[in-house]
Amino acid sequence: MAPPVAGVVRLAAASRVLVLSLYLLARLLLRPYDTSATLHPPCLSSFSSSPDPNTPVSAAISSLAVWDGVHFARPAECGYEYEQSFAFLPLLPASLVLLARLLFAPLVPILGYRAVLVLSGYVLNNVAFVAAAAYFYRLSVLILKDQKAAYRASVLFCFNPASVFYSSLYSESLYALFSLGGIFYVFSGANTVAVIMLALSGSARSNGALNAGYFCFQALLQAYDATVQKKRPLLAIHALVAGALRSIFIFLPFFAFQAYGYLNICVHGSSDELRPWCKAKVPLLYGFIQSHYWGVGFLRYFQVKQLPNFLLASPVLSLAVYSIVHYAKLLHRCFQRTSVHKQIITALEKRPVVSYRRSDDATILSEPPAGLTKKAQGSSKAKQRKPVATEIAPATFHDSTTPANQNIEEDQDTCSILLLPFVLHLAFMAFTALFVMHVQVSTRFLSASPPVYWAAAHVLASPSRANRRWGYLICVYFIAYILLGSLLFSNFYPFT
């Protein structure tokens, strides 16, 4: 049998074929509500290449850039011309340029540069989503220690309610790829790769900078272990400094892009009058754009006329709240049964139970226990070579077949303090989506958060009648939003 990760990859690829088919079918059957995307004014500078050929195929491909896709394609073609363009971070536009000028360069004379940019975006994002699904599965196995639960959650991720955005000219796929991959490498020990991937996630979407919190969590655990367990304060300082430097590196691409905007608009700008944000003590362009052009701010979206948008976002927000409460209760029970000290030591010293036949995953949080002797290491490696070491953990809080008399040691394995940063991250994101942002964006804003799918998979696997009803509603919600998104979003109707 093929390893489960290969099955997830195939399923993710099949889901992209389905979503793209629905997307194109909706474009063929309906007339777009807003046809302004077909308007294509020339670049303000000589940044772009030769004029595009005016052919039906070229026009049809270019028209696939809808909603924010227009704003991602424009910087790729013309550079950042307008102040509000800096709200769209550079990773996706830069990737489009690379693909259009390298891989798809032979198509430029036939289709035109803009059409090739749009085509590049669709190819890139669908491939990136498949890779993101593979990382999602591997991360889920690493944290949940349950192959079945990880696979169920991965299926839900492959057919998530924001699927249409992962297959179109949006930054969701790249963000999911680098954030999920980066977090996976944080917990499997490849810190250098993790830093690079999480930094890239911050250059795809602004909330990618929040992923620095996983390194902060890692540093706090290692500092606690060094201080309390190993009695080595210098080692604790080293862990904290390393965590701080890694976090700064993750924030660096976002702030570098803000500095680039400051130089272009405030220093070298053509306007005679200095923009208001340029005069601020901390001239943060991104925050000004969100507030000035889109009205983003605390409680600013709480208006009666926005009630339909709150209803549109209510399913994902409800699922997020359920996920937070579910895992908060689980962690609370875990800490009641086992001390926080023991949880930290367990998280730092135990090796992950790998669910597929691979041996390249390092220890969780990367630091092997200092007191582990060579003899113990050899014993550990010998145990890992046994067939049982590649199988799934026998007990899990997601597995409905878990025996009632599972022992305390198994509970400690499945109820891990490693869940804590995921819960805190999701709680912050859900609060921001509800009280600060345009609430309808919640569907895609929260779509790359693993606990949402882990909790939904838990509900689907539950044998209770009440949970079966909720599981049915979750499936209906996922399917309905895939269909609704493919129909509305592709034709420039409001969706999320």
Side-chain angles (χ1 to χ4, degrees):
M1 293 179 63
V5 69
V8 171
V9 167
R10 288 196 296 269
L11 189 66
S15 73
R16 294 311 92 195
V17 172
L18 173 64
V19 170
L20 283 173
S21 300
L22 292 172
Y23 187 100
L24 295 174
L25 182 62
R27 287 300 298 265
L28 291 173
L29 295 179
L30 296 178
R31 177 184 174 86
Y33 174 74
D34 185 351
T35 57
S36 62
T38 59
L39 302 176
H40 181 45
C43 298
L44 298 181
S45 64
S46 57
F47 189 88
S48 65
S49 57
S50 58
D52 290 345
N54 187 17
T55 64
V57 175
S58 176
I61 294 175
S62 297
S63 69
L64 294 177
V66 297
W67 292 105
D68 286 357
V70 176
H71 300 289
F72 281 113
R74 183 75 180 185
E77 183 182 13
C78 303
Y80 284 89
E81 302 172 301
Y82 308 104
E83 185 178 66
Q84 60 268 35
S85 299
F86 285 86
F88 302 92
L89 270 64
L91 182 61
L92 179 56
S95 301
L96 300 184
V97 172
L98 286 176
L99 283 177
R101 294 186 177 182
L102 297 177
L103 184 62
F104 297 114
L107 296 178
V108 173
I110 303 171
L111 300 175
Y113 188 55
R114 177 178 169 79
V116 170
L117 285 172
V118 175
L119 179 63
S120 300
Y122 273 79
V123 172
L124 171 67
N125 286 334
N126 284 276
V127 172
F129 177 82
V130 174
Y135 274 121
F136 179 91
Y137 173 77
R138 298 183 72 188
L139 175 64
S140 300
V141 170
L142 200 62
I143 301 300
L144 303 181
K145 300 181 180 67
D146 182 351
Q147 182 183 21
K148 292 181 180 179
Y151 189 81
R152 285 194 297 269
S154 300
V155 172
L156 292 173
F157 177 74
C158 290
F159 296 94
N160 73 74
S163 282
V164 69
F165 298 102
Y166 287 91
S167 286
S168 57
L169 201 58
Y170 269 58
S171 58
E172 265 65 29
S173 286
L174 286 179
Y175 169 74
L177 170 60
F178 291 116
S179 62
L180 294 172
I183 296 169
F184 167 76
Y185 286 118
V186 169
F187 287 101
S188 60
N191 286 330
T192 302
V193 179
V195 167
I196 294 171
M197 293 191 76
L198 293 181
L200 288 172
S201 77
S203 61
R205 293 189 59 84
S206 60
N207 55 289
L210 296 175
N211 290 321
Y214 291 96
F215 271 120
C216 294
F217 175 77
Q218 178 197 57
L220 289 174
L221 291 192
Q222 292 175 354
Y224 178 90
D225 177 56
T227 304
V228 177
Q229 184 78 355
K230 299 174 183 174
K231 308 297 183 184
R232 297 175 62 186
L234 289 179
L235 187 61
I237 294 173
H238 177 270
L240 292 174
V241 170
L245 291 176
R246 288 165 183 158
S247 299
I248 290 171
F249 190 86
I250 292 170
F251 275 91
L252 196 59
F254 175 78
F255 285 111
F257 186 62
Q258 302 308 296
Y260 172 73
Y262 180 85
L263 291 174
N264 274 267
I265 297 172
C266 303
V267 178
H268 303 301
S270 58
S271 177
D272 295 331
E273 184 178 354
L274 206 61
R275 297 293 293 155
W277 66 272
C278 295
K279 306 172 186 177
K281 292 182 179 179
V282 181
L284 187 61
L285 173 56
Y286 186 83
F288 173 80
I289 292 173
Q290 292 292 334
S291 175
H292 181 72
Y293 291 98
W294 284 284
V296 172
F298 184 65
L299 298 181
R300 290 176 67 176
Y301 214 62
F302 277 64
Q303 305 172 28
V304 175
K305 65 180 181 180
Q306 301 297 347
L307 183 59
N309 287 324
F310 278 88
L311 293 175
L312 189 65
S314 60
V316 72
L317 288 173
S318 300
L319 191 53
V321 170
Y322 169 78
S323 306
I324 295 165
V325 172
H326 172 72
Y327 288 112
K329 288 181 177 178
L330 182 69
L331 286 167
H332 178 67
R333 291 197 301 267
C334 187
F335 294 147
Q336 282 184 325
R337 184 171 59 243
T338 308
S339 68
V340 176
H341 172 78
K342 202 167 187 179
Q343 284 287 328
I344 293 174
I345 302 307
T346 301
L348 286 169
E349 293 185 352
K350 281 198 172 181
R351 290 184 178 271
V353 179
V354 183
S355 64
Y356 42 90
R357 296 185 181 276
R358 293 288 299 273
S359 59
D360 56 353
D361 288 340
T363 54
I364 293 180
L365 294 181
S366 77
E367 294 289 338
L372 195 63
T373 64
K374 290 183 178 180
K375 181 178 179 181
Q377 289 178 14
S379 175
S380 175
K381 290 178 181 177
K383 289 179 181 179
Q384 287 182 355
R385 286 194 294 267
K386 293 180 181 180
V388 69
T390 62
E391 299 301 326
I392 203 65
T396 171
F397 55 85
H398 280 293
D399 194 347
S400 62
T401 61
T402 300
N405 61 346
Q406 62 185 4
N407 59 45
I408 295 176
E409 182 64 29
E410 288 171 343
D411 284 348
Q412 290 171 352
D413 287 341
T414 58
C415 176
S416 172
I417 196 174
L418 298 180
L419 286 166
L420 182 59
F422 293 93
V423 176
L424 295 177
H425 188 192
L426 177 58
F428 181 84
M429 297 267 286
F431 178 88
T432 303
L434 179 59
F435 293 105
V436 180
M437 298 171 52
H438 291 186
V439 72
Q440 68 270 24
V441 181
S442 303
T443 302
R444 58 188 176 92
F445 185 64
L446 302 176
S447 62
S449 185
V452 171
Y453 305 100
W454 296 343
H458 167 72
V459 172
L460 290 173
S462 175
S464 73
R465 181 174 299 178
N467 278 348
R468 281 203 298 269
R469 293 196 190 100
W470 285 113
Y472 172 77
L473 289 177
I474 288 172
C475 292
V476 169
Y477 159 53
F478 276 50
I479 294 170
Y481 270 55
I482 290 175
L483 297 175
L484 194 64
S486 301
L487 178 67
L488 298 179
F489 174 82
S490 60
N491 288 293
F492 243 116
Y493 286 89
F495 178 51
T496 68

